[in-house]
PDB file of all heavy atoms in Angstrom:
ATOM      1  N   CYS A 225       5.914  99.691 -35.753  1.00  0.00           N
ATOM      2  CA  CYS A 225       6.311  98.398 -35.450  1.00  0.00           C
ATOM      3  C   CYS A 225       6.577  98.189 -33.929  1.00  0.00           C
ATOM      4  O   CYS A 225       6.395  99.203 -33.246  1.00  0.00           O
ATOM      5  CB  CYS A 225       7.530  97.927 -36.294  1.00  0.00           C
ATOM      6  SG  CYS A 225       9.099  98.507 -35.607  1.00  0.00           S
ATOM      7  N   CYS A 228       9.099 100.452 -32.764  1.00  0.00           N
ATOM      8  CA  CYS A 228       8.627 101.948 -32.632  1.00  0.00           C
ATOM      9  C   CYS A 228       8.148 102.233 -31.218  1.00  0.00           C
ATOM     10  O   CYS A 228       8.337 103.255 -30.640  1.00  0.00           O
ATOM     11  CB  CYS A 228       7.594 102.276 -33.638  1.00  0.00           C
ATOM     12  SG  CYS A 228       8.130 102.266 -35.419  1.00  0.00           S
ATOM     13  N   CYS A 300      13.078 104.915 -35.973  1.00  0.00           N
ATOM     14  CA  CYS A 300      13.083 103.527 -35.662  1.00  0.00           C
ATOM     15  C   CYS A 300      14.286 102.850 -36.279  1.00  0.00           C
ATOM     16  O   CYS A 300      14.495 103.040 -37.485  1.00  0.00           O
ATOM     17  CB  CYS A 300      11.787 102.845 -35.975  1.00  0.00           C
ATOM     18  SG  CYS A 300      11.785 101.063 -35.613  1.00  0.00           S
ATOM     19  N   CYS A 303      12.439  99.944 -38.845  1.00  0.00           N
ATOM     20  CA  CYS A 303      11.489 100.367 -39.800  1.00  0.00           C
ATOM     21  C   CYS A 303      11.460 101.874 -40.162  1.00  0.00           C
ATOM     22  O   CYS A 303      10.780 102.405 -40.950  1.00  0.00           O
ATOM     23  CB  CYS A 303       9.952 100.004 -39.444  1.00  0.00           C
ATOM     24  SG  CYS A 303       9.163 101.152 -38.301  1.00  0.00           S
TER      25      CYS A 303
HETATM   26 ZN1   ZN C 501       9.582 100.603 -36.084  1.00  0.00          ZN
END
Side-chain angles (χ1 to χ4, degrees):
Chain A
C225 82
C228 292
C300 178
C303 80

